[in-house]
Amino acid sequence: EKAFGEYSDRVRLWCTINEPAVYSVMGYFQGVFPPGEKNPQLATEVLKNLLVAHTRVYKRLKSLPNGEGTRIGLVKNIMQFDPYRRWNLMDWLACRISSSIYNEITLSYLKEGKIDVMFPGFVTLKYSSKDAAGKTDFFGLNYYSHVHLKFKINGKDFFESKYLDSDTMTDMPYAIYPEGLYRAIKSVGTLDRPIIITENGIADEKDD
């Protein structure tokens, strides 16, 4: 509210939250970001809370002076998950679960105001809000890469990320995968909202 009140007469595009799925997955599932949890159910709950927060911020800013004259959106990175072994059904399942949580929860929430994830023994979450559907004026798309998943039998940590020998890697390290930008745009296009590419690039420590 403070920033909006100061700049909304000059700034016409506003982003509420940047990459909510990264925060929830890295902090509450993979344990890389604080608080270092490894709990898929908790990660999904955190993501839901961040999406609800987006809706509340969107509605509040729209009600303020200059609100109706601005466009307010959520920024989300889209990561594709592809099976490391295309013949292995468990690798496909790992990709399906990962994409459902990482990508589809957000898209379903923004489009229909609903979250419906059912993977018994791993993640179960149902949520519905009439206020949430369509509460974004544009979709801020961050895109960098895709990842191959290899299933492993290990309770909550059921896959490992793999790269192919043929992949050209950045210093992130991510595989350079231009086709994924097209795939991301196609998946986000189902929201029927303008798409603004808010992040894209190649990590290179020499800045070449």
Side-chain angles (χ1 to χ4, degrees):
E1 282 187 39
K2 185 173 179 61
F4 194 82
E6 184 71 27
Y7 297 109
S8 61
D9 62 333
R10 285 157 286 170
V11 178
R12 297 303 180 193
L13 296 173
W14 291 79
C15 302
T16 56
I17 299 174
N18 183 64
E19 299 190 347
V22 169
Y23 175 70
S24 61
V25 169
M26 298 297 278
Y28 292 86
F29 175 53
Q30 293 190 329
V32 178
F33 292 175
E37 297 281 349
K38 289 192 174 184
N39 185 326
Q41 181 66 43
L42 183 58
T44 309
E45 295 280 354
V46 169
L47 177 56
K48 183 262 291 183
N49 291 342
L50 288 168
L51 294 173
V52 171
H54 158 77
T55 300
R56 292 180 178 177
V57 172
Y58 178 92
K59 293 174 64 178
R60 179 61 180 155
L61 296 187
K62 283 291 187 179
S63 72
L64 298 177
N66 301 318
E68 288 302 319
T70 60
R71 291 196 290 166
I72 302 168
L74 181 78
V75 175
K76 167 84 175 74
N77 69 314
I78 297 295
M79 177 76 81
Q80 288 99 32
F81 302 95
D82 294 314
Y84 182 64
R85 301 163 296 185
R86 296 190 66 84
W87 52 266
N88 191 297
L89 291 178
M90 299 308 292
D91 286 8
W92 283 97
L93 179 61
C95 292
R96 180 73 188 94
I97 294 173
S98 298
S99 185
S100 292
I101 295 171
Y102 199 82
N103 297 319
E104 293 167 23
I105 282 178
T106 300
L107 297 179
S108 175
Y109 179 87
L110 293 176
K111 185 175 183 178
E112 301 175 353
K114 295 180 180 179
I115 297 172
D116 189 356
V117 181
M118 290 287 291
F119 297 108
F122 184 70
V123 170
T124 301
L125 179 64
K126 283 184 175 289
Y127 178 82
S128 179
S129 170
K130 294 180 180 179
D131 287 338
K135 294 297 190 297
T136 189
D137 299 327
F138 64 90
F139 188 96
L141 171 60
N142 294 352
Y143 173 75
Y144 291 100
S145 185
H146 74 149
V147 65
H148 290 90
L149 300 186
K150 182 179 181 181
F151 176 81
K152 63 179 182 179
I153 301 174
N154 185 14
K156 295 178 180 178
D157 189 8
F158 64 96
F159 66 83
E160 57 182 321
S161 299
K162 304 285 285 184
Y163 295 98
L164 305 179
D165 292 339
S166 58
D167 285 336
T168 301
M169 304 300 293
T170 72
D171 290 334
M172 198 67 178
Y174 285 159
I176 298 176
Y177 182 61
E179 180 186 339
L181 180 56
Y182 172 80
R183 291 172 62 185
I185 290 170
K186 292 293 286 185
S187 65
V188 171
T190 60
L191 295 178
D192 195 28
R193 289 288 188 274
I195 299 168
I196 298 175
I197 298 176
T198 39
E199 288 185 29
N200 177 247
I202 292 176
D204 175 59
E205 69 176 348
K206 295 181 181 179
D207 201 22
D208 286 341

